[in-house]
Amino acid sequence: MMPKLILLAAAASQALDVSTLSPASPPAESIRFLFIVVTAAAAFILAIVWGVLFYSLLKFRRPRLLKDGLPTTEPPQVYGSLPIEVAWTVAPGLIVFLLTLVIVRTEFQVHVREQQQPESAKILNVTVIGHQWWWEYVIERDGQRKPGVVTANELHIPASTAEQPRPIYLNLRSADVCHSFWIPRLAGKTDLIPGRNKNEMWFATRETGLYVGQCAEYCGTQHAHMLLRVYVESEAEFQAWLANETKPAVDDPSVRNGKQIFLTESCVKCHTIRGTPAQGAFGPNLTHLAARETFAGCMIPLTRDNLRKWIRDPQEIKVGCLMPAFGLSEQKIDWITDYLMSLK
Ligand code: CUA
């Protein structure tokens, strides 16, 4: 009963525009352009084929008379006609050639790194690592390759302005199986393939706001709940977010019971909370968990109540997820929840 309610809330929070037909970034615009060109070409061909078909149906619906006066239902035979053979070989060839040109142009716009980026562009590099069933981001701090900011599921990026283009370059990797990163309004799908670290994509947008998407490659039981949220913010908002993410976790003495339990239970084997001995790398980094709006692969709105249910038994909410229930007492669950909710 309760997990269903949580799901509904998550679904409502994802009820944003995810149409490839309302692009907000150059790669997504290229893809829409390609879609329109291909659809228009197909519609044009369909109109010609149906036109000829209906014309023939109407024109030749009665038997015609042969020279000797006998009726026949067969049309005049044109087998071996050179002009017709040439026409229906050249025309499709030309159509395919023109479509190929448009597709190659789109490929360059979508995949080539420096495409249309002015010299002044300030590039943000992010490594995206797909996990069953959540996303990990390693964000390069401006001008410094390391150490990057590590966060999960919700990515914040700066908006471009007329003076300062801010393209985002993603390097896509996988920790387990194939996933696919897809925010329809920002760019097309690109796969995250285990063992292959070369897959890249880019986007840039001037429109601030929340963009949602999801894993677009079947990756196991909870593939459908491997959701994506990208927050496009003004440069100042983004820098403030990044500065907070860069800090070690807040250390609030009023939740020290929870911290103590977190550090002595199995939590530390999978999760990192920077500034504490918790250095697990298997699950999402929780250093600033409470600064996020959702958790569990953007599936669940982050509220104390939802988080508490999750800690008590993740399997009841997200069957098959890799976090087990630890059978903690209700008191301990309360304390851990309070501790995690303090990690702004
Ligand atoms: Cu990850 Cu589907």
Side-chain angles (χ1 to χ4, degrees), residues 8 91 96-98 117 210 287 309 315 328 338:
L8 284 177
V96 169
F97 178 69
L98 291 176
Q117 296 311 339
L210 172 60
T287 309
K309 286 187 190 111
Q315 298 300 318
L328 300 170
D338 288 336

Side-chain angles (χ1 to χ4, degrees), residues 131 133 135 177-180 215-220 222-224 226:
H131 296 258
W133 291 277
W135 305 92
V177 299
C178 288
H179 303 276
S180 187
C215 179
E217 177 77 45
Y218 182 73
C219 55
Q222 291 293 346
H223 157 69
M226 190 165 168

